[in-house]
Each structure stands twice: as C-alpha cells, then as structure tokens.
Amino acid sequence: MNQSREAQWLIRLSREGGDEHFKASSGLCLGTRDTCWYAIALLFSDNPADRALGNRLLSTVPSEDGTHTPATMIAILKFAGDRLDERAASWLRLQIAQELPHAAETEWRDGNVNHPLGAYCALICGGGLSGEDWAPELGVRRLRRFRDRIGNHRSVRLRQAEMSEYNSLTYSALDLCFLAIIAECAEDDAARRLGLQLEQGLWIDAAMHFHAPSQQFAGPHSRSYMEDSLGGFSVLHGVFLAAGFGPLFMAPELSVRFEHPSNLIQNSLTALIPFHPPEEALAIAWKKPFPYTFRKITFAESYQENSRRGRNTGSALPQPDAFAFDEEVYPGGWTDLTTHMTSEYALGSAA
C-alpha cells in the first residue's frame, strides 16, 4: 500500500467510520462489503490486536454481491497479502471463486456502471486467481464491449462520448478503483492494457470536471449521494488525494451529517490501490485555462427509482401512498452534457 501521509489519513477516516458501525455480535460493519473495507483499515493498524481482528473478519465474512465485494477481496489479496494469515487468505480465495457465477450474471446495458465494472474485475482477476479460464475471457469480452459502446455508439446525428453513469462523485470513484485493479492484477497483458486504457480515460474525464479554484467537481453529475454533491467532500475527492492530486480541501464530516458512513469506510480501499493517472490528467485538473467549456453526449437506459405516489380514491380521508416506479427520474435516451467554468464559478447542464 502507498504509505504516503494522504493514504494514512484515508485509512484513518475508514477506521473511524468503521469503529462507529462495527457490531462485534454479528462480526459485521454495516454489510459484507463494508466489513472488508473496515478490515483493511484494521490490517494497517500498529496494534497487533487490531490486525488480528482484521484477519478474523476476513476469515469469516461472506461475499454476497458478485461485484463490489469480490473485487475488494482481490485487492486485499494482491495489495495487502503480506498482512493476511493463511486462514484469511484461503477464505478470501474461496469466496472469490464462489462468486464468479454471480459476477457472470451482471452485465452493463446502458445504465449502472459501477456494479458491472466490479463484476468484470471479479471475472478477469478472480478468474485468474481461481484457475477458471472461462471467467477472464468473459470479463474481457464484456469490458471490450463496454469500451466500444461508450466510444462509438451512434445515432443518425449523435455519437456517444461519455458513459451512462457519468461524472458521479460517488460511483466514478469505484469505477476508477475497479479499473486500476484490472490494470494491475489481470494475468493477461491485453486485459491489463484494456483496464489501463479505460482507467486513464476516466482520469482525464474527471480532471476535466475538476474546478481547481473551488476544488470541487463541476456538473452535470449522474447518480451521486447528496453529501458527495454539496461540495467539500466526496469519495472521488478521496481517490484524487490517493492518486497524488493533492493537497485538497476535504470536509469528511459531511458523511456523518448525512448518515452515509460507507463514504468514510470506503477510503481504505482507495488508499490500498495503486492508481495510474496520466500526467495529462494532473495538468488538466490544476492548470486548465478559464473560461473552460466542453460538451459531451451520453446515452442511458430509462432508470427506474423507487417512489411513492398518492392514491386518488375520491375519499375525503387521506390514503396511504402506493409504491411505484418513477420513470421520470432518469428518462433515458440521448443526453447533451455541457460544462462551463470560469475562475469564479462552474456550471453544468444535462438536456
């Protein structure tokens, strides 16, 4: 792991957030994914008892999602393997192998990006660890399809140049993590190059949206949690800090105020992974000229969110709201994304 002061600070954030939510009775910190993140922070403690607890958690925690959790387990084995005891390492390898069929069930289709990329990471790197040749082949094939779609999807007048879950202060951070793991850990050279190509392209995109005077990311934003979008702190800020884009203004107390502890606990994974930002991304982030304007086109499926709609029964008495899917939240289709910055402000629109 990067032993920089920034990485140590991110580990400390993860530890503090995890300590608040770890339940000794269940052996879990929120869920299984977050338990793995918390265990990373424990592994890098100076206290032998903490490191023993981290190994104990990693020798029992199951993987239940086929995406984020097995990808995290791969990162632990690859980048913190010298801190694992044999029981924890064997358990992680077993969980990764068992999750490969579940990872194969997750495929990107013009919508959510972070879960499919986590699944492709599990297939490409976990399949190599497990000796399952079918898994890396499937993961690479799907990752190539993702690359080709977001760069060359066309209509009569439009060409896609941005992925569907774009410029997310929450999920782009996870995307960078999963792509960096592929770039580092895939056994096949072509797979590593593919992961690196996509990771570095995403670094350029994130740097283009970074507004250095305010140290915030300009819109428009895709799906992001509220505390990420208000400015001051986001997990994408954490990834920038870990990758050497600092120093940055960070206000992690926002995650406490808005009760989103995963935003803190995730920083241990961020600190663990070696990222590969190109020099151009650093220059674009900090030295872009103002005014600075750019446009991109994206395409997304209709994304349904859970909602409640009032019942019109004609009764004078109030009726309980009915559960519904609200297609108007993310209507899908082609979207024109525009970002404009000056030295004083940054604006974004999606139309």
Side-chain angles (χ1 to χ4, degrees):
M1 186 193 80
N2 178 3
Q3 295 291 337
S4 68
R5 181 176 60 183
E6 291 80 7
Q8 293 173 10
W9 185 75
L10 292 169
I11 287 284
R12 187 164 67 251
L13 280 185
S14 176
R15 176 66 190 272
E16 291 172 357
D19 283 346
E20 287 290 322
H21 295 276
F22 175 65
K23 304 296 184 185
S25 58
S26 65
L28 292 175
C29 178
L30 299 177
T32 58
R33 177 197 65 177
D34 294 66
T35 301
C36 290
W37 292 344
Y38 178 52
I40 295 171
L42 292 170
L43 290 177
F44 285 90
S45 170
D46 293 331
N47 187 333
D50 291 339
R51 297 196 297 271
L53 175 58
N55 271 286
R56 189 159 67 249
L57 296 179
L58 293 173
S59 64
T60 57
V61 63
S63 179
E64 298 176 342
D65 55 39
T67 60
H68 293 185
T69 306
T72 296
M73 291 176 167
I74 291 164
I76 295 171
L77 281 171
K78 290 292 188 178
F79 308 129
D82 58 341
R83 295 174 180 262
L84 297 174
D85 60 32
E86 184 52 42
R87 182 184 177 195
S90 296
W91 178 260
L92 293 178
R93 285 192 289 266
L94 174 64
Q95 294 303 301
I96 292 166
Q98 290 179 346
E99 284 298 292
L100 294 178
H102 295 147
E105 295 172 355
T106 302
E107 187 170 4
W108 176 76
R109 291 185 175 87
D110 294 316
N112 181 300
V113 170
N114 68 95
H115 278 286
L117 288 186
Y120 302 167
C121 177
L123 290 167
I124 293 168
C125 301
L129 280 172
S130 306
E132 298 286 348
D133 292 342
W134 64 269
E137 293 173 3
L138 177 62
V140 169
R141 186 164 66 247
R142 289 181 172 177
L143 191 59
R144 285 196 181 112
R145 190 180 306 151
F146 169 77
R147 178 200 59 189
D148 295 343
R149 175 76 169 179
I150 64 174
N152 203 32
H153 175 206
R154 299 169 184 260
S155 70
V156 174
R157 296 184 299 106
L158 302 172
R159 176 178 177 180
Q160 186 171 353
E162 180 65 276
M163 61 187 184
S164 47
E165 193 175 62
Y166 57 87
N167 191 29
S168 169
L169 300 177
T170 304
Y171 298 112
S172 293
L174 282 167
D175 298 337
L176 284 165
C177 288
F178 300 144
L179 292 170
I181 294 170
I182 295 171
E184 280 285 321
C185 302
E187 294 188 353
D188 179 69
D189 288 343
R192 287 198 300 273
R193 289 195 299 269
L194 178 60
L196 181 63
Q197 176 193 6
L198 287 165
E199 181 200 351
Q200 294 195 327
L202 186 50
W203 278 118
I204 295 289
D205 183 80
M208 288 173 65
H209 287 91
F210 183 70
H211 184 243
S214 65
Q215 297 199 11
Q216 307 306 316
F217 292 92
H221 302 296
S222 179
R223 305 168 59 239
S224 297
Y225 283 94
M226 180 180 293
E227 66 277 9
D228 287 335
S229 303
L230 287 177
F233 181 79
S234 72
V235 284
L236 188 56
H237 279 86
V239 172
F240 262 53
L241 190 67
F245 281 76
L248 294 169
F249 170 77
M250 305 276 274
E253 61 271 15
L254 288 171
S255 295
V256 178
R257 186 185 309 169
F258 289 96
E259 299 182 354
H260 188 205
S262 290
N263 254 29
L264 298 176
I265 304 169
Q266 181 182 329
N267 284 290
S268 61
L269 177 66
T270 297
L272 187 63
I273 294 171
F275 293 102
H276 316 93
E279 292 183 7
E280 295 89 338
L282 287 163
I284 292 170
W286 290 105
K287 298 178 181 179
K288 61 171 63 71
F290 296 114
Y292 187 79
T293 303
F294 61 92
R295 295 175 60 196
K296 290 189 175 187
I297 300 294
T298 189
F299 181 88
E301 66 180 359
S302 178
Y303 196 93
Q304 297 175 323
E305 290 286 344
N306 299 343
S307 67
R308 295 278 173 179
R309 295 177 183 166
R311 291 191 177 113
N312 184 11
T313 63
S315 171
L317 298 175
Q319 300 295 311
D321 287 345
F323 172 79
F325 286 113
D326 187 356
E327 294 186 357
E328 296 177 356
V329 176
Y330 297 105
W334 292 98
T335 305
D336 190 329
L337 311 174
T338 304
T339 300
H340 175 72
M341 303 183 199
T342 73
S343 59
E344 297 179 344
Y345 62 85
L347 299 174
S349 69

